């Protein structure tokens, strides 16, 4: 029997859209996330769209990012931005809150959190503690 993708387990397009929307709402509203908010453009719609397209494929759904933008090359695309432990931790905390408020169940949330942390840690390009 084939294992279902994380995209399907999450609830597909509807849930991924809600997750991305909530992530950027929190980034905009919660003072704790001011550092990562400052790395984004004033209008967050393009960032939301890109995160949605990326997550869709990353989670095993439609590979929208590749189709519309090209290969993600995440680290390369994030190099213009100073990303250290603080930015990583804010991004992960914001995503955790978004997952919680979107209603993603604990076991799946834990699985995603580990993957999100690993990816966010890989984006770091500032000196600091060694990457895990």
């Amino acid at each position: 029997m084939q294992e279902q993708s994380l995209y399907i387990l999450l609830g597909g397009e509807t849930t991924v859209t809600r997750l991305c929307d909530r992530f950027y709402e929190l980034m905009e509203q919660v003072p704790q996330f001011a550092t990562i908010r400052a790395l984004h453009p004033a209008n967050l719609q393009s960032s939301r769209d890109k995160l949605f397209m990326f997550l869709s494929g990353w989670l095993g759904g439609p590979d929208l990012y590749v189709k519309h933008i090209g290969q993600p090359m995440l680290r390369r695309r994030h190099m213009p931005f100073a990303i250290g432990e603080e930015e990583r931790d804010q991004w992960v905390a914001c995503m955790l809150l978004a997952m919680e408020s979107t209603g993603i169940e604990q076991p799946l949330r834990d699985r995603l959190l580990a993957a999100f942390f690993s990816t966010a840690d890989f984006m770091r390009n500032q000196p600091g503690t060694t990457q895990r």
Side-chain angles (χ1 to χ4, degrees), residues 27-97:
M27 186 188 295
E28 187 101 85
Q29 298 167 358
V30 179
Q32 172 188 348
F33 305 132
T35 300
I36 60 170
R37 175 61 184 96
L39 297 175
H40 290 78
N43 184 329
L44 291 171
Q45 189 60 53
S46 175
S47 298
R48 279 182 201 194
D49 293 344
K50 287 176 184 174
L51 181 61
F52 168 76
M53 288 187 289
F54 172 75
L55 287 182
S56 291
W58 188 72
L59 294 166
D63 212 355
L64 302 173
Y65 194 94
V66 171
K67 180 179 178 182
H68 295 284
I69 298 173
Q71 290 299 319
M73 300 179 293
L74 289 180
R75 190 156 166 81
R76 181 174 172 195
R77 291 185 194 274
H78 287 82
M79 285 307 284
F81 309 101
I83 301 172
E85 291 177 350
E86 179 183 5
E87 292 79 10
R88 174 203 62 200
D89 293 348
Q90 282 187 26
W91 194 96
V92 171
C94 189
M95 184 55 77
L96 177 59
L97 285 177

